[in-house]
Amino acid sequence: MLDEIRERIANARRIVAFTGAGMSVESGIPAFRGPGGLWRTFKAEDLATPAAFERNPRLVWEWYDARRQNMAKAEPNAGHCALAGLERRAPEFLLVTQNIDGLHDRAGSRNVVKLHGDIWMLRCTVCGREHQDLRAPLPDVPPYCECGRMLRPAVVWFGEFLPPGVWSKSELAASRAEVFLTIGTSAVVYPAAGLIDVAKAGGATVIEINPQETPYSGAVDYSLRGAAGDILPRIL
Ligand code: OAD
């Protein structure tokens, strides 16, 4: 089966890889769901919603600052590197990630769409200006903008829209893909997970990589049970 998958990938002109938190588990960054997942210990509605931030910006910022510190220590794993390598050889390649940790960039991926934003970017809650800040820990939380108002992480919280333009770019690439890889995502958060349906409807060969079953496991062309850092270097 792996040979068949390798051949499909090698012959494809347009490839999309869609990644989720499982991609970074082997780099030491916990996922949200499943064993060890963040949503087992923390409540999303207390930390990852606009209402939570309005209620207690300091608490939300402390949580994001702690995650930034953990992510700053993490290194891209063999799976991130394999995807960066695939981008260099594929005629057309787009990486669509739900991850905010920046590890795909650090592994060398260049054509990356960040559906849920980027934890290293800060955005002013009033003037909207965004800038990158890689300091971890931040010297003060909450941090403030030059305009004097509070900054927030430029990530997508539950109930918010995706950043402008990211959906149309991802949807178009998924609809045209010949091979679509879905890696390390529980595929339960929409609209992101809907890209798998878009790819299938467009006729892509869909390959899933995940140690656990997902709602899409029965519907994809190949469902490989295992860790991204182990399987990706073997098929790419
Ligand atoms: P989840 O935590 O929901 O799912 C992670 C998936 O990774 C699970 O299906 C695991 O089985 C799988 N996994 C674990 N270790 C793995 C490994 N080594 N290799 C491959 N897969 C592995 O994460 P996401 O699907 O990314 O959104 O979650 C989607 C969104 O929900 C996130 O972007 C975040 C979250 O709440 C927001 O915060 C808006």
Side-chain angles (χ1 to χ4, degrees):
M1 182 161 78
L2 290 189
D3 278 339
E4 214 174 284
I5 292 172
R6 283 188 201 106
E7 201 180 308
R8 295 268 179 134
I9 295 171
N11 292 333
R13 278 160 305 164
R14 292 183 297 276
I15 304 176
V16 172
F18 171 57
T19 66
M23 186 78 221
S24 297
V25 163
E26 290 154 273
S27 296
I29 301 173
F32 296 96
R33 298 170 185 82
L38 292 172
W39 297 151
R40 294 253 168 127
T41 322
F42 300 101
K43 282 206 267 175
E45 57 270 33
D46 291 342
L47 295 163
T49 64
F53 188 67
E54 262 174 48
R55 222 169 24 239
N56 196 342
R58 187 178 185 84
L59 175 76
V60 171
W61 259 118
E62 279 167 356
W63 190 63
Y64 276 92
D65 198 41
R67 291 177 64 201
R68 284 165 60 99
Q69 290 176 54
N70 185 39
M71 289 170 182
K73 280 189 295 209
E75 294 296 334
N77 63 53
H80 294 107
C81 297
L83 288 177
L86 176 62
E87 175 174 351
R88 289 192 285 271
R89 339 187 263 287
E92 243 183 83
F93 179 86
L94 184 67
L95 181 52
V96 180
T97 188
Q98 297 164 88
N99 299 345
I100 58 175
D101 55 34
L103 288 184
H104 284 302
D105 307 301
R106 285 171 53 201
S109 290
R110 288 295 164 258
N111 208 5
V112 182
V113 169
K114 294 174 185 168
L115 280 182
H116 293 163
D118 181 337
I119 201 168
W120 304 108
M121 298 297 291
L122 310 188
R123 184 167 75 238
C124 181
T125 51
V126 177
C127 77
R129 201 179 78 97
E130 268 189 27
H131 71 280
Q132 192 184 52
D133 189 332
L134 300 175
R135 291 174 299 173
L138 285 164
D140 271 313
V141 291
Y144 283 86
C145 180
E146 284 168 359
C147 78
R149 309 304 279 271
M150 200 183 286
L151 292 163
R152 58 165 282 177
V155 299
V156 176
W157 285 325
F158 288 100
E160 291 189 314
F161 291 112
L162 301 185
V166 299
W167 180 256
S168 51
K169 184 169 180 184
S170 307
E171 192 183 32
L172 179 66
S175 71
R176 298 178 68 238
E178 292 173 3
V179 164
F180 184 95
L181 297 145
T182 169
I183 309 156
T185 177
S186 58
V188 295
V189 172
Y190 285 82
L195 286 176
I196 306 170
D197 297 305
V198 173
K200 274 184 63 68
T205 299
V206 180
I207 303 159
E208 175 180 70
I209 299 169
N210 197 311
Q212 309 283 332
E213 257 191 37
T214 77
Y216 283 93
S217 298
V220 299
D221 297 286
Y222 300 95
S223 186
L224 303 176
R225 288 279 161 283
D230 174 39
I231 292 188
L232 283 171
R234 286 164 54 200
I235 62 168
L236 298 182

